Amino acid sequence: MNFKLRVWRQENPKSEGRFANYEAPDIPSDASFLEMLDIVNEGLILKGDSPIAFDHDCREGICGMCSLVINGTPHGPEKATTTCQLYMRHFRDGQTIHIEPFRAKAFPVIRDLVVNRAAFDRIQQAGGFITARAGSAPDGNAVPIAKPAADLAMDAAACIGCGACVAACPNSSAMLFVGAKVSHLGLLPQGQPERMRRVLNMVKTMDNEGFGNCTNHYECEAVCPAEISVAFIARMNRDYAIASVRESVE
Amino acid sequence: MTSLYSRFCNSSIGRKWIVALTGLALIAYVIGHMIGNLQIFMGRERINAYAETLHSMGPLLWAVRAFLLAAFVVHIVVTIQLTAENRRARPERYSVKEERRAGAASKSMIISGLIVLSFVVYHLLHFTTNTTNPEFKVLEDAKGRHDVYAMVIHGFQNPLVAWFYITGMFLLCLHLSHGFQSFLQTIGANSKKTAPVFDAGSRLLAWFIFAGYTAIPAAVLLHLLHT
């Protein structure tokens, strides 16, 4: 297959970026989107040009490292799919493909298509943990957990922290990510001791990082490769209000 | 320790709550006002008596007005502030961006809201203070009460005014079709199961309000209501 690429190139965080056009000829239809970029980069290196920088790691759809806004959608046009699991057969032969980095003030571009998502790490550090006894492993099933709670917590835990929710949100809000992280631990008995502190601290850090505010467009849910539900945002809104009121009366 | 004030007034989720709660107060008023207005179809006696009752409440009426004004101002000030922050959160725009879920209603909230604000200002000058039409002030019915019935009908006999009201109501209902389900999401009442119900319910409520309000100017334009 042959494609025309229009790719965002940016030397470093400070420099002006611009779009550059490339040809991507003879791409196998079963190549993944990242493999297609690898092939294009090989050609660029042979010509003495600098290769297109992009993030990737596991290439199995589970690490949350790959990104890219492909033809206006984070992770491209396929539902519940990361960029590494997106195959070129889903595009038309000869199609022009626009490739941009995730854009948000809180995700500054490092180079080309690589953005700095350390803001997510700082949000996690603010409350995305539990206090656990650090000895031998506890007995299995020693803590009873109701099946519906376990299922819901598992749905929230599916978040891979890729940041597509922020990239898709018209307001660059990180509420889906934070909602998933707050809910995943908040639903389990092990997460109860820090439940109130967790939501307050994670939301405060989220706000300080310069993400926008959620206005319920639900674009995040539509692009999320892990299909995280916006119901977790509702749950976080509720926990936040309860925690704020409790904090003020205690 | 952060104060409760700061938790609500300086945070993203706190201000979301403020917008939701003030929005709910305004929705409740919009529904109440609509039910009050629809009494015009029950005749001159009914609507004029209703207006007289409201005006005889004195301090209570002013308390409700003050509360609504406060809710209205807070709702607008906070959303403008949030919108400005949201714009700043993405300094570099996408050259190509495809929306998958966001609709006309959710994307136009700030615009529909601000046009509704200008509509409300006109509406108050028109039917409440009668500044735009001083001749409405002197309308009296047989019992010597302010003739609201005649005022509304005269007001809407001007097609330009009637259509402005219908347009204003359309934008209000576009705003509410997103706003009502947004309220439920913000207070944390939403879940995966309720989402489609809330979404449909919100639209239904909005169109119900649109139908209720526009019935009056439409009836005047169609000569179904006349003095």
Side-chain angles (χ1 to χ4, degrees):
Chain A
M1 299 176 85
N2 301 299
F3 302 99
K4 294 183 180 68
L5 306 185
R6 180 168 166 269
V7 185
W8 183 260
R9 302 301 308 262
Q10 185 172 337
E11 195 65 33
N12 58 59
K14 296 243 157 62
S15 62
E16 283 275 304
R18 61 182 175 81
F19 281 97
N21 295 308
Y22 301 101
E23 296 288 332
D26 303 324
I27 304 291
S29 61
D30 288 338
S32 76
F33 201 84
L34 298 185
E35 285 162 348
M36 181 276 291
L37 287 177
D38 289 336
I39 296 168
V40 171
N41 274 345
E42 275 175 21
L44 289 176
I45 292 166
L46 286 176
K47 276 199 290 179
D49 287 341
S50 74
I52 301 160
F54 60 90
D55 264 326
H56 61 103
D57 192 8
C58 76
R59 299 205 179 198
E60 292 180 334
I62 55 171
C63 78
M65 199 57 204
C66 59
S67 57
L68 311 185
V69 173
I70 301 161
N71 285 342
T73 306
H75 293 300
E78 290 294 300
K79 198 171 160 17
T81 304
T82 53
T83 298
C84 65
Q85 296 297 302
L86 174 66
Y87 292 90
M88 297 316 292
R89 56 179 176 267
H90 295 299
F91 294 87
R92 274 194 332 273
D93 193 28
Q95 190 179 349
T96 299
I97 304 173
H98 304 268
I99 312 170
E100 290 182 73
F102 282 1
R103 293 197 193 277
K105 191 174 135 210
F107 286 169
V109 172
I110 297 171
R111 184 185 173 93
D112 297 340
L113 304 169
V114 178
V115 297
N116 186 346
R117 286 170 280 181
F120 270 14
D121 299 336
R122 290 187 288 271
I123 294 172
Q124 274 291 68
Q125 286 157 8
F129 51 82
I130 59 162
T131 308
R133 187 175 61 95
S136 54
D139 287 342
N141 297 328
V143 182
I145 304 172
K147 174 81 169 125
D151 285 350
L152 206 54
M154 200 60 208
D155 288 348
C159 168
I160 55 175
C162 65
C165 43
V166 175
C169 176
N171 312 327
S172 305
S173 169
M175 293 274 282
L176 192 67
F177 167 76
V178 184
K181 297 303 172 193
V182 163
S183 302
H184 145 215
L185 297 172
L187 278 158
L188 297 172
Q190 294 92 334
Q192 295 312 307
E194 291 99 349
R195 183 169 173 185
M196 296 293 125
R197 245 188 307 153
R198 177 181 304 116
V199 64
L200 294 177
N201 292 343
M202 290 181 87
V203 168
K204 190 166 199 172
T205 311
M206 168 182 86
D207 290 347
N208 291 341
E209 291 290 345
F211 292 103
N213 308 288
C214 173
T215 53
N216 307 324
H217 289 292
Y218 308 143
E219 282 293 312
C220 50
E221 186 185 79
V223 303
C224 177
E227 300 193 290
I228 303 294
S229 162
V230 292
F232 290 119
I233 298 180
R235 175 174 283 278
M236 171 168 63
N237 294 336
R238 197 166 66 211
D239 269 14
Y240 182 86
I242 296 169
S244 299
V245 173
R246 258 202 218 170
E247 180 195 42
S248 73
V249 294
E250 268 166 15
Chain B
M1 200 186 90
T2 316
S3 70
L4 188 63
Y5 174 85
S6 177
R7 287 285 186 215
F8 276 90
C9 298
N10 299 328
S11 77
S12 54
I13 297 184
R15 284 177 294 170
K16 215 169 136 68
W17 269 88
I18 293 174
V19 173
L21 294 177
T22 50
L24 180 71
L26 295 169
I27 292 175
Y29 170 73
V30 161
I31 294 172
H33 188 41
M34 178 183 80
I35 294 169
N37 289 357
L38 285 174
Q39 296 178 60
I40 198 165
F41 289 107
M42 299 164 87
R44 188 190 303 263
E45 175 54 35
R46 181 66 185 248
I47 189 91
N48 288 1
Y50 169 69
E52 187 75 10
T53 314
L54 284 184
H55 281 126
S56 66
M57 286 181 179
L60 185 65
L61 177 69
W62 281 103
V64 171
R65 282 176 169 171
F67 171 74
L68 284 172
L69 180 69
F72 199 58
V73 170
V74 170
H75 191 80
I76 294 166
V77 169
V78 175
T79 44
I80 290 177
Q81 196 186 21
L82 291 171
T83 305
E85 282 175 24
N86 294 344
R87 298 260 155 96
R88 284 199 294 275
R90 178 163 295 140
E92 184 116 39
R93 308 256 125 204
Y94 288 108
S95 82
V96 180
K97 183 73 168 65
E98 201 180 285
E99 246 98 42
R100 315 215 128 197
R101 282 279 292 280
S106 79
K107 283 192 288 180
S108 64
M109 287 305 270
I110 191 78
I111 301 294
S112 61
L114 290 174
I115 299 175
V116 168
L117 164 67
S118 63
F119 166 81
V120 169
V121 170
Y122 173 74
H123 178 51
L124 290 175
L125 293 174
H126 187 218
F127 280 155
T128 307
T129 66
N130 298 145
T131 315
T132 56
N133 300 61
E135 72 275 12
F136 290 167
K137 255 201 172 79
V138 293
L139 290 172
E140 274 187 6
D141 67 4
K143 291 183 184 169
R145 295 173 303 200
H146 183 219
D147 196 352
V148 174
Y149 184 82
M151 174 179 82
V152 169
I153 290 171
H154 285 309
F156 289 147
Q157 272 169 349
N158 180 343
L160 215 61
V161 171
W163 279 106
F164 179 67
Y165 270 76
I166 293 171
T167 313
M169 284 305 104
F170 174 75
L171 289 168
L172 174 68
C173 295
L174 191 67
H175 196 80
L176 295 187
S177 69
H178 178 71
F180 190 61
Q181 66 84 27
S182 229
F183 162 79
L184 293 165
Q185 164 79 0
T186 299
I187 65 159
N190 203 7
S191 74
K192 244 182 170 168
K193 267 187 208 148
T194 60
V197 182
F198 286 178
D199 199 39
S202 185
R203 282 164 210 256
L204 201 69
L205 179 80
W207 287 110
F208 171 71
I209 292 173
F210 177 74
Y213 273 108
T214 52
I216 301 166
V220 175
L221 285 181
L222 297 170
H223 303 290
L224 299 171
L225 271 179
H226 42 77
T227 48

